[in-house]
Amino acid sequence: MMSSTAPAQAPSTEATRSRATIPARLASYGTLLGLVALIILFSVLRPQVFLTPLNFTNILEQIAILAIVTAVQTVVMVVGDFDLSVGALASLVGVITAQLLVAGTDPAAAVAAGLLTGLLAGAVNGALVSYLNLSAFIATLATMTSFTGLALLLSNGSTVFGLPDSFVWLGQGRLGPVPVPVVIALALVLLIWFVLSKTVLGRAWYAVGGNAEAARLSGVNVRLVRFSAFLVSGTGAALAGIVLTARLASGHPTAADALMLSSIAAVFLGITLSRAGQPTIGGTAVGLGIMGVLSNGLNIMQVNSYVQQVLTGLIIVLAVSLSRLSRRRR
Amino acid sequence: MMSSTAPAQAPSTEATRSRATIPARLASYGTLLGLVALIILFSVLRPQVFLTPLNFTNILEQIAILAIVTAVQTVVMVVGDFDLSVGALASLVGVITAQLLVAGTDPAAAVAAGLLTGLLAGAVNGALVSYLNLSAFIATLATMTSFTGLALLLSNGSTVFGLPDSFVWLGQGRLGPVPVPVVIALALVLLIWFVLSKTVLGRAWYAVGGNAEAARLSGVNVRLVRFSAFLVSGTGAALAGIVLTARLASGHPTAADALMLSSIAAVFLGITLSRAGQPTIGGTAVGLGIMGVLSNGLNIMQVNSYVQQVLTGLIIVLAVSLSRLSRRRR
Amino acid sequence: MNSPAQRTGAASEGRRAPVLATRALSKDYGPVRVLSGVSLEFHAGEIHALLGENGAGKSTLIKMLAGVTAPSEGEILVDGAARRLRSVRDGQSHGIVALPQELSLVPTLGAAENIFLGLRRPGSRLLVDRRALDRDATALLERLGQRIPLDVPAGELSAVQQTMIALARALARDARVLILDEPTAALTEREAEQLFAVLRTLREAGTAIVYVSHRLEEVFALADTATVLLGGRHVWTRPAAQTSADDAVAAMIGRPPGQIYPQRETGEPALQRAGGPAALEVRDLRGHTLAGVSLQVPPGRVLGIGGLAGSGRSELLALIAGAQRPRGGAVLLGGQDITARRLAGRMRAGIVLVPEERRSQGLVMTHSVQDNIALANLGRFSRLGIASRSRERAAALRRAESLRIRATSIRQPVEELSGGNQQKVVLAKYLERSPRVLLLDEPTRGIDVGTKAEIYQLVRRLAAEGVAVLVVSSEIPELLGVADEIAVLHEGRLAGLVPAATATEESVLHLCYRKSA
Amino acid sequence: GDGGGEAAGGQGGDESVTVTVVTPYLANAATGEAIDLFTAEGEERGWTVSVVDTAGDMNRLNSAFQDAAAQQPDAIVLGTGDPAQISLGLRAAGDAGVPVFAIDAGEDEGIAANVTSDNTDLGEQSAQALIDEVGADGRVLMLTHDPHPGVRERAEGARAVFEEAGVEILDQVHVEVPGPVDDARTSVQDALSARGTGDDGITGIWGGWDEPALGATQALQAANVDDVPVVGVDGQDFAVAEIEKGGPFVATVKQDWPAIAAEVASLIEALVEDGVEPEQRQYELPGTLITQE
Ligand SMILES: Nc1ncnc2c1ncn2[C@@H]1O[C@H](COP(=O)(O)OP(=O)(O)OP(=O)(O)O)[C@@H](O)[C@H]1O
Ligand SMILES: Nc1ncnc2c1ncn2[C@@H]1O[C@H](COP(=O)(O)OP(=O)(O)OP(=O)(O)O)[C@@H](O)[C@H]1O
Ligand SMILES: [Mg+2]
Ligand SMILES: [Mg+2]
């Protein structure tokens, strides 16, 4: 009756859309602009030092371990949760791996054991959150406390050292000019990017984070999907702990604790780049970039470390505000 | 035409509701049951020590400062945000107040200056979150970093001591048998309870936390309401910092930092008691109780401190799970 | 239905000054102009209906009138003076109050607090007087014929109860201009009638009412003036007495209207689809509300389900689909007991539920049209766990065209679509599953007449291919028009089962109230 | 800085000497004091001294070493911290040809010289001071923090002395950082409830550094216990002030920070300006016991 006339709405407007978003997109790139501004700033202030390939490698190396944790934190935050236990878990896995190594375990086996520990810990977090319906915050805060206690207990509070060189290579070695941790981090980030954007699992993660009820009614196994995100974060945290232990050539019961807040901060910085307000790996990379460049640049400028802290806070606020000021809606 | 026939559908559901919620309510008291279970456990294990009025006073005294921070954190979480800067701000205010006192400022004036600093810091957080639309997490994480930097800068990283007795009384004095910090905490908790449940402002906080968009479309000034919550948390953090400084009779640049995670954990513990999943002061009090009893009880049981950490995590998970297991839906 | 309203209002008293008017009002979202140059007048004591197909710009216009969004061009005049309404509070201070299309209550607060949220109440600027709040809320809800427990968080109430709270909220503001955007979309006729009675009283008291609805019968029973929008432009404004539903439909879609309900073929439907017949059987199914319902739906049959709000209709569908755990009873598909299977398993078996609430249950609002359509079909559009964007895109484009989804592109986030178009995305998402048993819960809520007709045809076509369809609807004409048979629920039990061909609105209504069985 | 990068090394002469201090524990008052004194020593010599703190983060400490090394200062000073965890940073400095000196850290191949108080000696002296108060049949509570290597060494030294004297160690309580004063105060308060004082109870408290000792003092004062003495380590100002008051806090062992700072500065001066390598890898300076007398 009236269905015969099909209005060709959809195609016609696609062209106009891209026009639409040019200013909007620019605005939403505020955080990216912040990163660029920082790079320019430091380059101008300390060109001979900041803009060298060596320093560039340094920055990458410095954020490599944080990048590993942040990549998996991104997954948990895509699902709409936090994992506060990543830092403590990384420390714990570092201690366990180091102790196994000191006891003479084969490095490959020790690394595998470490990763398995992470997987199990992730399963505990995931079970608490998806099957017992605990809020991720309280669940992972509790496990964080327990993991830290375990790490202290196992190591008796002190540093475990005397690790074999073949293991230490994971943290200190190089593949050509590129530090091994950077290679590992890059590989993981690419993998997570692939899973998040190309696979059914990634789509399910995003759907659960966007509207868990709608996902459930679309036939998505919401509990399993959420559980899997914690498996990923547990394993990733373990990997970070292992690389960190190799980098420090020693296991320390609180070595990785600071990674938790930094990883969440980096993801939040990245979220400002996303139109839908959801985390993306691209955004996370920019967030990591800001954190790395900022800390390296301020060190290179030899700013007093207390002042550095003050400035870091201010600059993060500025970088994020850049993207928000121009995006205010009513 | 048909409006005259009023079918009695609604009342019937009312009846079913109250029937339905009796077991549900019991279940939702899981966390409270957890607290009771802990108290019974420690009473049985160490009756001569745990169940004494002195120890009861000790517990109250030990959580008094955390209670102040948690009460105001509750407000921010009612609005649906976090304030990660409370601990750093408390430390900063402690240092500032201590330095003013050492410089000879009148105690009342120094306390007023400390509270004002907190109010201003809260205004900064509030402005970032409500007027610049930054996510509370990233905004308060950034200010947390800056506050810590400032505290270290001002104190040059060291302890500020030599505070007058009239000030120290705030942290160490007693009103009859009751320690002054307990009186202050109790007064603040009651005040916040009153505001949250009896005043227009408190209900507006809940409305914004429940659905900010709905509140906006109902004509609530959402920005101002959210802003005010951060004013409260800034001022409360300052109060906590002042009482802590008085209690320690000295200002330390990082003395209060640990309060942040603990306060959020206590609120989350309390949320498990609320049907709507929103923070309440009653719930927060139970959460604080669990944290206080747990730490005191384990100390009194002379449990190894590392094992304490492991147990703390486990017990928190258990306490929260109690309320969830029986509340699982679908 | 009702006798035509007595049009004694301002419209017939000659040209009085309008309380609210727009002058060349336009709204752009980026480069897309969704409303252009609309000039309208709204008078005291007059119900003014806004008509137009999905995406015509009705809600956009209303949002500007209420201060929710700012116009890109043009102005809004209150009592003849141009005003800039910067917020909902601004609007309310001028006496303009709107009930938004997507009702938004604070789910954690009770009815009374929701009703008076954001309202300065005399004598309680600082402290909340709960007793007075409850008393006034009860009174307002009674005007709407509702008794809603005040201590239950709004999020736990039924859709109807939530709508009624939202309406009470609008009434509580003593508006000079009351704007209602599809208030009856979620209501059954009883509640709708109650609302109309209140609106008529308000009109007599001199309130200007702006009214948006896709249910044209009720519009013409109620309105004094009708305005039609098409593609963001003003087509015409006429006294309701001097026009008709057909006129309006013609103007809304830009061409003469056809027939809304499809011609039903008599005789048995043709059952030739692959997959074979899949009769659905439900035995003594029980849930929270549902108290033991047994039904059989052969392939190719469309079963309409009627009942009052809260009678258990949605729950019946949720239990069949596996979205909710039953308290007892069994669900059989093609003779096989599938009660043990969860939602995903039943979906694979061919049972598909189109849920009632598009925003909370149907869509991921920040995701694009394409992603939302793909969500229910992830397994089918992928190989080895890797999603195929091109297949998703092709399917989304096909569905967007056949359902006439009005979006700038299939990559537009659904939160930017009009309400009706969002509903179409939900339909598209589930239709793409090619179900053997299709469960539709209020499928045409918020959908314009033109598209409604297409959806009815689609349902008939699916039935002809052997699909068993269950349709829950609060609009009895819709049930009569599309179903073969109508089952009516009353307080969780089957009150009657009547063939649609012989049923009338009256007879179905009687079953709803259980006056006869 | 000298910017060019080539000017490093023992040229002496016109370019001013630059030294970068890298520390994970600047927020610790004792570390802060030592670094301040060193900075003053350096500036007196006309050097440019900059300080980088990583707030307890050992991974960032390595990075800070790399950043520092990339700038080619004349020397890098590690201000406390565990050398076992910064082999990477030390190697970066080594690769860049920048010598590393350490204040109160540990011995390591990558470190030209570590100047420190003898932590074992600090522990022994403070333990002995406590034994002098409580006698050989005392029962003591130890407040420790094993993740910090210096504090750990002190605890080991103290434990040996206690055991040798026959003093019973009731418990070793791990003190949380940050917030050591309040945490120690709470722990001691609870320990007093659980064990009491006097017969079978606590008769003395040993603090691994001054902050927990302060917390213990406050807990004792609040409980009106005046027969349980407390000792600390570090000799910070507030501890000295507390000892002067004549309360439970009876003794602390002051690390000789001025001497340590001066020693490091002169070792650097010798290497950078005269090309003289340090004779030892580790210089251990004794602490001075501070009591009310
Ligand atoms: N935030 C937004 N961004 C971009 N486009 C928007 C936005 N909001 C609405 N639109 C577009 O404006 C047009 C008009 O939408 P509006 O909601 O006013 O339609 P409507 O007439 O109310 O339709 P319905 O009957 O479906 O409710 C639609 O094409 C819609 O896609
Ligand atoms: N006591 C209860 N506890 C939990 N959920 C309930 C309870 N009672 C009803 N519900 C749920 O509320 C929803 C709506 O109920 P119902 O199916 O009776 O509504 P309906 O007849 O479709 O009417 P409408 O949707 O118009 O309100 C259903 O999903 C049902 O499961
Ligand atoms: Mg609309
Ligand atoms: Mg329904």
Side-chain angles (χ1 to χ4, degrees), chain D residues 141-145 151 172-173 175 184 187-188 205-209 212-213 216:
Chain D
L141 194 68
M142 294 178 71
L143 303 175
T144 60
H145 188 85
V151 174
Q172 297 193 43
V173 178
V175 176
S187 299
V188 171
I205 295 173
W206 181 88
W209 69 109

Side-chain angles (χ1 to χ4, degrees), chain B residues 140-167:
Chain B
T140 58
L141 187 71
T143 55
M144 171 185 109
T145 313
S146 289
F147 293 157
T148 301
L150 268 179
L152 287 165
L153 201 60
L154 287 176
S155 66
N156 202 13
S158 62
T159 305
V160 184
F161 64 98
L163 310 184
D165 284 348
S166 59
F167 174 77

Side-chain angles (χ1 to χ4, degrees), chain C residues 237-276:
Chain C
T237 300
R238 292 177 187 166
Q242 292 163 31
T243 181
S244 69
D246 279 356
D247 281 355
V249 172
M252 279 159 67
I253 59 180
R255 69 205 130 80
Q259 184 184 347
I260 291 186
Y261 295 109
Q263 220 86 52
R264 219 178 332 226
E265 320 89 83
T266 42
E268 284 303 301
L271 308 176
Q272 71 275 52
R273 248 293 137 124

Side-chain angles (χ1 to χ4, degrees), chain B residues 10 17 198 200 203 219 275, chain C residues 89 113 126 128 147 151-152:
Chain B
R17 194 188 74 81
K198 302 284 173 205
V200 172
R203 301 322 291 175
R275 184 167 164 203
Chain C
R89 264 172 307 132
E113 289 201 285
L126 282 178
V128 177
R147 275 161 68 192
D151 59 339
V152 179

